[in-house]
Amino acid sequence: MVNEGQSSNDKSEDLREDFTFQLTDPMLYDRLRTLSAEYSVSSQMLINVAVKRLINEIDFVRSLRTGRPK
């Protein structure tokens, strides 16, 4: 829930939600943990980057279909 009296930075923090998901491929889980250790970043950050990239790629393909590439 967003309170209208808050600054824009506070609003963006209120819009965040915690998600929990289950990896069904054990090899994917192992690979994620290996990458996390190798690059000294959290698994959560790697997952956020991967999801953002997936969404950007989907948006790009949709724009190609409509004939308006970005």
Side-chain angles (χ1 to χ4, degrees), residues 1-45:
M1 191 180 298
V2 176
N3 295 331
E4 291 185 24
Q6 295 178 331
S7 69
S8 61
N9 288 341
D10 292 339
K11 287 182 182 180
S12 65
E13 289 179 11
D14 287 344
L15 295 176
R16 282 193 295 182
E17 294 183 42
D18 289 331
F19 287 97
T20 302
F21 67 95
Q22 198 171 33
L23 293 174
T24 56
D25 183 355
M27 294 300 290
L28 187 59
Y29 178 75
D30 289 343
R31 185 81 171 118
L32 181 64
R33 289 187 46 99
T34 301
L35 288 171
S36 175
E38 183 178 338
Y39 291 102
S40 301
V41 296
S42 68
S43 296
Q44 181 181 7
M45 182 180 155

Side-chain angles (χ1 to χ4, degrees), residues 41-59:
V41 296
S42 68
S43 296
Q44 181 181 7
M45 182 180 155
L46 290 173
I47 292 167
N48 284 332
V49 169
V51 169
K52 182 177 180 186
R53 185 168 180 174
L54 173 65
I55 290 171
N56 287 341
E57 289 179 5
I58 290 170
D59 288 341

